[in-house]
Amino acid sequence: MSEAAKELEALNRQITTCQRCPLGQMRTRAVPGEGPADAQIMFIGEAPGFHEDRQGRPFVGAAGKFLEELLASIGLKREDVYIANVIKCRPPGNRDPQPDEIAACRPYLDKQIDLIQPRIIITLGRFSMARYFPGATISRIHGQPKRVGGRIYYPMLHPAAALHQPHWRPLIEEDIKRIPELLKELEGVEMEAPKAEETYEQLSLF
Ligand code: URA
């Protein structure tokens, strides 16, 4: 096991007992994320829902099933990618994550990204998008990749959006199809990891 993989395992263990915000008292299980420590592709969702909270695994409910179908459409399985969330514990009643919860969880996600060093980060939904594209509107910028250093940030609609409003479905299906082409674009491009602050600065100009 690589050093990064060991560190990621230790970090994810630490997340399972986290009490940095009140959600630590309300969850059944924390959901650190899962996937290979050297994944090229990382998906960042919003927060665990009912099933994720029970199982301690990301995207295992209806939205997860759709995400797996989307991955299959580009020849990937969920085991090929890293899947995490902006916040690691379920907000009661699946309400929106609060700014203080997002802030409390941010060091975990930053560290996960640091260790995994994905070539592409795909944000799923508004909350994940807002981390990298502050002030942007998802219906306007979804499907528009933005390269910073050797990494591409790619905002997509949340798969759950298509379950609630079927007219989003073709858009999501179209957006995911670009991922192989984006990965190809990065072939031969050196992976200089963008620093978190620099990334936020550059992406805020988007
Ligand atoms: N929705 C998310 O954003 N994350 C999950 O893990 C499950 C559903």
Side-chain angles (χ1 to χ4, degrees), residues 70-148:
L70 291 167
L71 286 169
S73 78
I74 52 169
L76 293 175
K77 296 198 189 66
R78 66 180 284 145
E79 298 78 39
D80 297 324
V81 301
Y82 202 89
I83 306 177
N85 283 304
V86 171
I87 65 168
K88 314 299 191 193
C89 297
R90 182 187 184 216
N94 294 348
R95 63 152 168 76
D96 285 349
Q98 302 298 296
D100 58 329
E101 294 158 0
I102 294 173
C105 242
R106 186 168 158 152
Y108 292 133
L109 187 55
D110 280 342
K111 186 74 186 161
Q112 287 177 321
I113 293 167
D114 258 7
L115 291 169
I116 297 163
Q117 291 296 330
R119 300 305 310 261
I120 302 190
I121 291 183
I122 297 144
T123 62
L124 298 174
R126 290 184 293 137
F127 288 93
S128 174
M129 174 198 69
R131 206 186 127 85
Y132 295 109
F133 304 93
T137 308
I138 193 149
S139 55
R140 226 177 276 153
I141 72 154
H142 74 88
Q144 295 183 46
K146 174 84 181 163
R147 194 166 121 195
V148 180

Side-chain angles (χ1 to χ4, degrees), residues 39-40 117-121 150-152 183 186 189-191:
Q40 290 204 308
Q117 291 296 330
R119 300 305 310 261
I120 302 190
I121 291 183
R151 179 177 290 151
I152 286 176
L183 261 185
L186 291 174
V189 175
E190 208 180 311
M191 180 61 208

Side-chain angles (χ1 to χ4, degrees), residues 31 45-49 52 57-61 63-64 84-85 124 158 160:
V31 182
E46 181 175 317
E52 290 78 19
R57 298 181 57 209
F59 282 94
V60 289
N85 283 304
L124 298 174
H158 196 288

